[in-house]
Amino acid sequence: MRYISTRGQAKSLTFSEVLLAGLADDGGLYMPEVWPEISREDLRRFRDLSYSDAATEIIGLFTGSDIPKAVLRNSLNQAYGSFRHKAVAPLYQLSGTDWLLELHHGPTLAFKDIALQWLGVVFDYVLKRKGERRTIIAATSGDTGAAAIHAFQASDAVDVFVLHPKDRLSEVQRRMMTIVRAPNIHNIAIDGSFDDCQAMVKAMFADDDFRSALKVSAINSINWARILAQMVYFITSAVALGAPNRALTYVVPTGNFGDIFAGFCAERIGLPVAMLAIANNDNDLLTNLLSDGQYRARKTIATSSPAMDIGNPSNFERLLFEESGRDDAQIQNWMAALGCGEGFEICPAVLQNIKRKFTAASASKEEVATKMRTIYEDYDLLVDPHTAVGLVAMEKLRRSRAIGDSVVTLATAHPAKFPELVKAATGQRPVLPARFDDLLGAQEFCTNLANDLDQVKSFIRQHARQE
Ligand SMILES: *Cc1c(COP(=O)(O)O)cnc(C)c1O
């Protein structure tokens, strides 16, 4: 199995090369050259498999001979051994036709753990095989940084630098990162916003000398391996609920479009899916795009679901590539227009293709708070603000008959990760699982730096073991 770039100008790579590269040289995103297929019989067979065993079969279709099957199986067993639910991604039934898919049973209580726990293991395997080291640099508004730190803290082939905006994260989010003490983990608090952190990471990736000297890798949601790992729970949950004989709708709280694109990939390889519903907060570019076809990157608006505060969802490029019939010249034009700050209009035929499988709705802060309260009143259940965005979108789409029955909404974070917001909406303070008892008392390890690219670069050069 080889991978090609959505912009058509980079050379094709193997899975392990794509894993380490993240972004393609031409600025595009990697996609499988051909789609493998799973049959209806395979889907029926998955019903009797554990999560890791199903993951081995599904992911194995895309890694081919690059990762030996036994290594793949071990890596997945190891990754999901740290989850506190035997099913890894269990379903919670809300009504006769509605479920939540709980993706927050990992070490940092958000769905990012599902992909990153596996990335940590498979990175180590690939790097040991090559005798290489790597430097991972990431910006986080909360969940990605914590998941990456917990995934790579035992790795001696990878150094991790996570930039977060000082004083902008919840205390729980910050401490999940800063209490980790390991020689390869570096927390950097920047005097600035998340956008400032992100801009610095982008600048470091664009600096060829810096990138090759430090062997920098990207593990943000454009990394194909993350999409791949996220495909698995769409398939295991659908199978548990009757696939292939039943097609479900998935409502996905969406930020960078990685999670819902994984659902698209699952459908692409053979899973029957009724609809994929994008749930947006006030950063609702994609909800508007489905009605007017206009793609205009915007400044982000701060909401109660910060992991979805994204004004330019990078993985959407992958969908445009697929739905335009893999027209890489068209993608180049669109992305060039976006790069000049202009935006672009999706041609009607491509928009029509997208609308065949996708629908969308958005939720305001007030609607999210009301939803958290009514879910608590009706089901005695606390949900986090991201999950509540999904539930608001689900209700709106059902009312307008854009989706039918049999709906799975993805629960992307544990409510205890956002205790203040949940308490304000419901009057109940969600309790952190007992394994976090030391979280609020433990010592923090973090370096505070100015919003200054040169300072950050020299700190990374000093502390990365690559040099
Ligand atoms: C990252 C994240 C999302 C958004 O996922 P994307 O793949 O970026 O669309 C939603 N909810 C939570 C809790 C997240 O951490």
Side-chain angles (χ1 to χ4, degrees), residues 110-112 143 221 253-259 307-308 310 386 412-413:
F111 94 96
K112 306 272 192 308
D143 294 338
S221 75
T254 293
N256 218 11
F257 205 73
D259 206 2
M308 298 159 62
I310 289 174
H386 302 77
T412 50

Side-chain angles (χ1 to χ4, degrees), residues 221 223-231 257-258 261-262 265 315 318:
S221 75
N223 191 303
W224 167 254
R226 282 184 59 176
I227 308 252
L228 184 48
Q230 290 164 14
M231 235 180 270
F257 205 73
F261 187 72
C265 296
N315 281 296
R318 289 188 154 114

Side-chain angles (χ1 to χ4, degrees), residues 175 179 434-443:
R175 284 181 162 274
I179 66 166
R435 65 184 188 276
F436 296 100
D437 279 354
D438 294 338
L439 187 75
L440 296 179
Q443 192 188 348

Side-chain angles (χ1 to χ4, degrees), residues 362-395:
S362 66
S364 69
K365 245 176 165 163
E366 295 70 33
E367 288 171 322
V368 168
T370 304
K371 182 53 84 177
M372 287 196 279
R373 180 170 54 78
T374 55
I375 287 285
Y376 177 64
E377 288 167 359
D378 295 348
Y379 300 92
D380 209 12
L381 177 73
L382 296 176
V383 295
D384 98 290
H386 302 77
T387 306
V389 170
L391 291 168
V392 171
M394 196 266 272
E395 188 182 24

Side-chain angles (χ1 to χ4, degrees), residues 69-96:
K69 197 75 175 272
V71 171
L72 182 61
R73 185 179 308 277
N74 284 339
S75 69
L76 289 158
N77 281 332
Q78 194 182 330
Y80 299 124
S82 63
F83 278 60
R84 295 303 172 108
H85 196 294
K86 289 255 185 296
V88 181
L91 285 156
Y92 181 96
Q93 187 155 15
L94 289 172
S95 75

